[in-house]
Amino acid sequence: MRNLAQQIYGNQLTEYSKKQTQKQKNGYSSRLGWVFVSKDFTKETTKAVRTYGSLFNVSKDYTYFTPNTFYRNDLRRLSTLRWINAISIDIDSKNGENEGMTLPDVQESITAAGLPMPSLIVQTPSKGFHVHWFLEQSKRASNKLNAHYSRIQTCIAEMLKGDVNAIGPERLFRLPTDENTVFHSQERVSFDELCEWFQLVQEQDQQDVHTYKKGFCKGYESLLKHPAVQKILEGVNEGQRDTACYTLALAYKAAGYDEKTAEAYLHNWNQKNTPQMRQIEVKRKVKSAYNGRFHAPSAKKIRELSGMLFSYVIWEEAKPREERTYSHIQEWEGDVLAFIRAHGGRVSGSQRDLAEQITSSVNADKKIPYATFKKVIARLEEQEILSKKVSGKGRGASTELCIIDEVKARRAQFEPSKKEQDTAPKNNGLNSNTIKDTVVGGTALSRSQGTEVASSSEHSILNLPSTYSTSLQQAPLPGNVPSAFTSALFNRGFTDGRFIFGLGERFS
């Protein structure tokens, strides 16, 4: 256990605890971390250790541990995470899922997924597996890193048929012992290598979306009516029930059903399964779906459960600015330019003070975030609309902003609002230069007639003389029409020379 722990944690744990005098003399180290151990996931049976000696002593009495370490010993949360040392996956075999799975099956699925060899595999009493990849170099936890870690972890869990609900670098896993360790290697993987693997999987998924166009489903509303989902609703066999129940619960959630209604529907669905799930299990799956971070089911899971082609996409229209929590960057650009123009086209002061004075044009109580303000200034500088001059350093620095191109500034300010006003879809309809022929045919018009048409207020539709040709045979294009113009017309589907009104005369 000690050697394995040292392989995971390195210098994040000490051999023995420091005395208080040593802490006062040398200070507290920012590289050290706390490992949480637990008996049954409850707060009362969970404690934190920070030395290898303590970890070795408690391993006999405790069942679970955290592969990643924390900077607090009283709170095991994502926000208190300090070091990420491993990516770990829980492959569950309860309730018929992955029933009969063996270690060679796990290793084969890892190879098929294109993943590197794991560092440790622990078998659980329920015949499931906890698979760990130890990182070559521990990563300092951050919000962005934690989020990407969870994305990679979810992707690996899906590929290995693991538990996609057991996600997060702060989670507990079974303590490895000589009895439950079924695979151990000295292999370690870099986090960058896992990121590259994840990117390749994402690219492949994008290609798969094009493959599944026949099973395309647009919008959450039609999700439950899709043949692939309907097939799952007919009932599934043992080994698929948990995943199917969770997937269908997410489908009901996405379609706008409340949790109670979805649970009632899924209890009815459960009667079609062979064998049926326990009612408490259905309730748990629905609760997990409605309280979890996923808003819609995985298209990949629906394909696997149904064996049918399936994919879907959601198109959402942008909300009006006053209803949005955040404004688009272009809209803030207009607000910044309006503020500078109101002060004579030139302002100066600290950037934070300037940002404090700028408010949204639709909500005077809403101020521009400082980070957004800096992005807006950088964008306007790049577009050569603003000039920025900084004098001084540190807290005493002063920034001068000046509008240098009023034309560009006006365009930048008013284009976003114009886009918001023009929300109605536009078709390529008639305009003032359009001459519409209501029939296939026509006769050449004189130059004077063409001029009258161009100057008329009712020029959108051309009333042809009664002498127009009614023949359906195509007429050749006039020989004096330039070849480039002929080619352009042909590319647009015009192959009949009779739609050329007066062109032969104009090009002659």
Side-chain angles (χ1 to χ4, degrees):
M1 173 65 190
R2 181 181 292 269
N3 292 336
L4 184 60
Q6 288 176 336
Q7 187 181 357
I8 302 173
Y9 302 114
N11 60 2
Q12 295 170 27
L13 304 185
T14 57
E15 287 295 332
Y16 304 99
S17 60
K18 287 184 179 180
K19 294 181 179 180
Q20 190 64 29
T21 54
Q22 289 178 302
K23 293 178 182 177
Q24 293 172 349
K25 182 178 179 180
N26 301 326
Y28 292 86
S29 176
S30 61
R31 66 173 173 79
L32 299 177
W34 293 90
V35 177
F36 282 87
V37 291
S38 179
K39 292 182 179 180
D40 55 8
F41 295 102
T42 62
K43 188 175 182 180
E44 292 74 23
T45 65
T46 301
K47 66 179 294 185
V49 297
R50 210 202 60 200
T51 68
Y52 285 110
S54 299
L55 183 61
F56 181 74
N57 291 334
V58 302
S59 62
K60 301 174 184 177
D61 302 319
Y62 285 79
T63 309
Y64 304 98
F65 82 115
T66 56
N68 304 312
T69 57
F70 302 77
Y71 67 81
R72 286 180 60 168
N73 63 356
D74 61 338
L75 196 62
R76 181 179 62 87
R77 293 286 185 271
L78 195 61
S79 58
T80 61
L81 198 66
R82 172 165 281 173
W83 292 107
I84 291 180
N85 305 306
I87 284 190
S88 307
I89 302 298
D90 179 9
I91 301 177
D92 207 348
S93 63
K94 295 178 184 178
N95 305 318
E97 288 199 63
N98 300 318
E99 186 176 2
M101 179 176 281
T102 62
L103 176 62
D105 294 332
V106 175
Q107 292 172 319
E108 184 178 346
S109 62
I110 291 171
T111 303
L115 286 161
M117 182 186 296
S119 309
L120 177 70
I121 300 179
V122 172
Q123 188 165 32
T124 64
S126 61
K127 303 303 179 182
F129 296 91
H130 290 174
V131 186
H132 304 271
W133 285 266
F134 301 156
L135 300 182
E136 286 181 356
Q137 186 175 359
S138 299
K139 305 291 288 186
R140 194 85 174 193
S142 66
N143 290 337
K144 287 186 177 180
L145 185 67
N146 296 346
H148 198 51
Y149 176 101
S150 296
R151 285 192 287 268
I152 296 174
Q153 190 183 27
T154 302
C155 186
I156 296 175
E158 288 180 348
M159 300 289 278
L160 303 186
K161 298 182 180 179
D163 187 355
V164 294
N165 298 312
I167 298 300
E170 79 283 6
R171 298 191 69 88
L172 290 158
F173 289 87
R174 187 165 291 275
L175 264 167
T177 63
D178 292 338
E179 291 75 24
N180 64 21
T181 300
V182 294
F183 178 84
H184 180 216
S185 74
Q186 298 299 316
E187 293 292 325
R188 300 176 79 91
V189 63
S190 70
F191 190 72
D192 290 342
E193 184 178 348
L194 290 174
C195 290
E196 291 174 1
W197 173 86
F198 176 71
Q199 185 176 357
L200 289 172
V201 173
Q202 294 297 101
E203 290 174 357
Q204 183 61 46
D205 285 347
Q206 290 297 320
Q207 294 176 8
D208 290 345
V209 168
H210 296 291
T211 306
Y212 296 112
K213 278 184 178 178
K214 290 183 179 178
F216 183 76
C217 170
K218 183 178 179 181
Y220 290 141
E221 297 79 5
S222 58
L223 193 58
L224 292 167
K225 299 177 184 178
H226 193 279
V229 179
Q230 286 291 316
K231 185 173 182 180
I232 302 172
L233 286 169
E234 293 173 0
V236 295
N237 298 321
E238 188 175 8
Q240 295 181 314
R241 297 172 303 171
D242 281 36
T243 303
C245 186
Y246 181 72
T247 300
L248 289 174
L250 285 175
Y252 280 111
K253 178 183 178 181
Y257 290 84
D258 59 75
E259 184 176 341
K260 188 175 180 180
T261 304
E263 184 181 333
Y265 278 125
L266 287 173
H267 279 306
N268 293 332
W269 163 81
N270 187 37
Q271 297 176 7
K272 305 174 185 177
N273 295 329
T274 52
Q276 295 182 23
M277 300 171 63
R278 291 187 302 159
Q279 289 190 356
I280 188 64
E281 291 296 330
V282 174
K283 188 178 184 69
R284 285 174 181 169
K285 290 297 179 185
V286 175
K287 189 175 184 64
S288 176
Y290 273 79
N291 294 339
R293 61 190 180 91
F294 296 110
H295 302 292
S298 163
K300 184 176 180 181
K301 289 295 180 186
I302 292 176
R303 292 196 293 268
E304 291 175 354
L305 290 165
S306 66
M308 298 174 65
L309 300 177
F310 177 85
S311 65
Y312 69 94
V313 67
I314 304 304
W315 298 96
E316 295 183 358
E317 294 182 0
K319 296 179 181 178
R321 189 180 182 188
E322 57 271 16
E323 296 180 15
R324 295 200 303 265
T325 304
Y326 303 100
S327 297
H328 297 310
I329 193 79
Q330 294 92 343
E331 294 164 346
W332 279 123
E333 286 180 359
D335 296 334
V336 170
L337 290 170
F339 169 77
I340 298 174
R341 191 177 291 107
H343 290 76
R346 186 187 302 270
V347 294
S348 62
S350 73
Q351 292 192 29
R352 286 192 180 274
D353 289 342
L354 293 174
E356 280 291 317
Q357 301 176 58
I358 299 174
T359 59
S360 167
S361 58
V362 296
N363 185 358
D365 296 328
K366 184 177 180 181
K367 295 181 180 180
I368 184 172
Y370 179 57
T372 304
F373 174 75
K374 292 195 294 184
K375 289 180 182 178
V376 167
I377 298 304
R379 283 170 56 95
L380 294 175
E381 263 195 297
E382 186 178 346
Q383 298 173 53
E384 298 180 349
I385 295 174
L386 277 188
S387 67
K388 183 179 80 170
K389 182 180 179 182
V390 180
S391 56
K393 295 182 179 179
R395 294 184 178 179
S398 177
T399 301
E400 182 183 82
L401 303 174
C402 178
I403 296 177
I404 57 176
D405 193 325
E406 185 61 35
V407 175
K408 286 185 179 179
R410 292 282 179 184
R411 187 181 302 139
Q413 181 178 351
F414 292 111
E415 277 186 352
S417 59
K418 184 179 178 182
K419 288 178 182 178
E420 285 189 357
Q421 293 171 5
D422 299 339
T423 55
K426 293 183 178 180
N427 297 323
N428 291 330
L430 302 175
N431 57 40
S432 59
N433 297 315
T434 302
I435 297 177
K436 183 176 179 181
D437 186 6
T438 56
V439 295
V440 180
T443 184
L445 298 177
S446 66
R447 184 177 293 126
S448 59
Q449 285 177 304
T451 305
E452 287 178 5
V453 169
S455 61
S456 171
S457 60
E458 298 179 357
H459 51 270
S460 296
I461 299 179
L462 179 66
N463 295 318
L464 297 174
S466 58
T467 56
Y468 70 86
S469 172
T470 58
S471 172
L472 295 180
Q473 289 186 341
Q474 293 185 355
L477 293 172
N480 54 358
V481 177
S483 58
F485 189 72
T486 303
S487 176
L489 294 171
F490 185 83
N491 291 337
R492 287 160 176 78
F494 297 111
T495 57
D496 195 334
R498 285 173 293 182
F499 83 98
I500 308 292
F501 299 110
L503 286 179
E505 185 179 343
R506 294 187 188 189
F507 282 101
S508 57

